[in-house]
Amino acid sequence: QVSLVQSGAELKKPGASVRVSCKASGYTFSNYGVAWVRQAPGQGLEWMGFISAYSGATEFAQKFQGRLTMTTDSSTGAAYMELRNLRSDDTALYYCARRTTFLGENLDYWGQGTLVTVSS
Amino acid sequence: DIQMTQSPSSLSASVGDRVTITCRASENIKKYLNWYQQKLGKAPNLLIYGASSLQTGVPSRFSASGSGTDFTLTISGLQPEDFATYYCQQSYTIPTFGQGTRLEIK
């Protein structure tokens, strides 16, 4: 069965960076992309970007350009999201999701979420 | 960015009711529209893709329609497990989500 397991909660200071991992299993990793979506406390969903596990191509939402990196490791079936220069409003639950592209982008399996807290 | 606006923002209903949630796009997104359900403390779950296609395993009481800028999600015969927050998402361009509709028990 398809599963996405994310790394544990992180506490970071403003200006620091965070790297969240997402370990996929139960499917051929390179056949799909991985998208990252975040959710601030009590707020809605915010799409951050995605990476193709096949080509490594990425696409990011405008607001994260310049401080967001996404990578994959096909040998382990893992995806990584790194956000730099953290601010307090980056405090959120960060989700990875398997991305398919049938009739547009669909996020059909999700990780459990990783809480990132940014506080001095 | 394409803005997605859901209405209502919250909704109270009873078990067995039929409810409809609307999602409006700020420009034409053809049929590149998905619906997700999120229960408290859980990750979102894909319900509908391509505006009207039911994701595998999703009960048939969920249905959706629309194209262009106006879309609807309908739940016919609400069940206790359906009380959750629902989000639409467009993927015609850089994906964006609606602000969510919280469905509560009356």
Side-chain angles (χ1 to χ4, degrees):
Chain A
Q1 68 284 17
V2 175
S3 174
L4 298 169
V5 178
Q6 298 183 224
S7 50
E10 301 268 10
L11 174 61
K12 296 292 183 181
K13 294 190 183 303
S17 299
V18 68
R19 189 183 193 226
V20 179
S21 68
C22 172
K23 176 73 166 68
S25 62
Y27 69 96
T28 302
F29 185 68
S30 59
N31 285 356
Y32 297 83
V34 176
W36 292 85
V37 174
R38 75 179 186 179
Q39 187 169 37
Q43 302 301 308
L45 303 172
E46 182 175 31
W47 191 90
M48 299 178 69
F50 89 93
I51 181 166
S52 165
Y54 175 73
S55 66
T58 57
E59 189 166 41
F60 301 145
Q62 177 79 19
K63 70 178 289 186
F64 299 107
Q65 297 276 0
R67 65 185 191 109
L68 180 60
T69 300
M70 293 181 185
T71 57
T72 59
D73 182 343
S74 293
S75 67
T76 59
Y80 301 91
M81 184 279 298
E82 181 183 40
L83 189 61
R84 299 177 293 279
N85 194 19
L86 290 167
R87 308 184 287 256
S88 58
D89 61 358
D90 290 318
T91 294
L93 192 55
Y94 288 75
Y95 292 104
C96 65
R98 191 178 80 164
R99 179 183 186 268
T100 70
T101 54
F102 183 68
L103 297 180
E105 171 188 279
N106 313 299
L107 307 179
D108 62 352
Y109 288 92
W110 294 63
Q112 82 277 17
T114 296
L115 180 62
V116 175
T117 303
V118 183
S119 175
S120 54
Chain B
D1 291 0
I2 295 177
Q3 306 303 313
M4 306 301 293
T5 303
Q6 293 181 228
S7 60
S9 295
S10 64
L11 175 60
S12 293
S14 301
V15 172
D17 284 354
R18 173 187 168 104
V19 299
T20 297
I21 299 168
T22 297
C23 179
R24 175 162 289 174
S26 60
E27 56 186 89
N28 185 352
I29 59 169
K30 301 183 187 294
K31 300 194 78 171
Y32 293 95
L33 191 283
N34 304 321
W35 289 97
Y36 297 86
Q37 176 195 64
Q38 186 178 33
K39 297 182 181 178
L40 201 61
K42 301 292 188 183
N45 179 48
L46 178 65
L47 298 176
I48 301 285
Y49 62 93
S52 59
S53 297
L54 198 66
Q55 173 69 355
T56 302
V58 174
S60 59
R61 63 181 178 273
F62 291 91
S63 63
S65 64
S67 66
T69 60
D70 294 312
F71 302 85
T72 59
L73 172 70
T74 298
I75 312 171
S76 300
L78 273 173
Q79 296 300 300
E81 61 267 30
D82 300 336
F83 292 94
T85 300
Y86 294 83
Y87 294 93
C88 61
Q89 177 210 23
Q90 66 80 20
S91 63
Y92 183 65
T93 62
I94 294 286
T96 48
F97 289 92
Q99 82 279 13
T101 295
R102 187 172 181 176
L103 177 55
E104 301 173 320
I105 300 175
K106 184 182 289 184

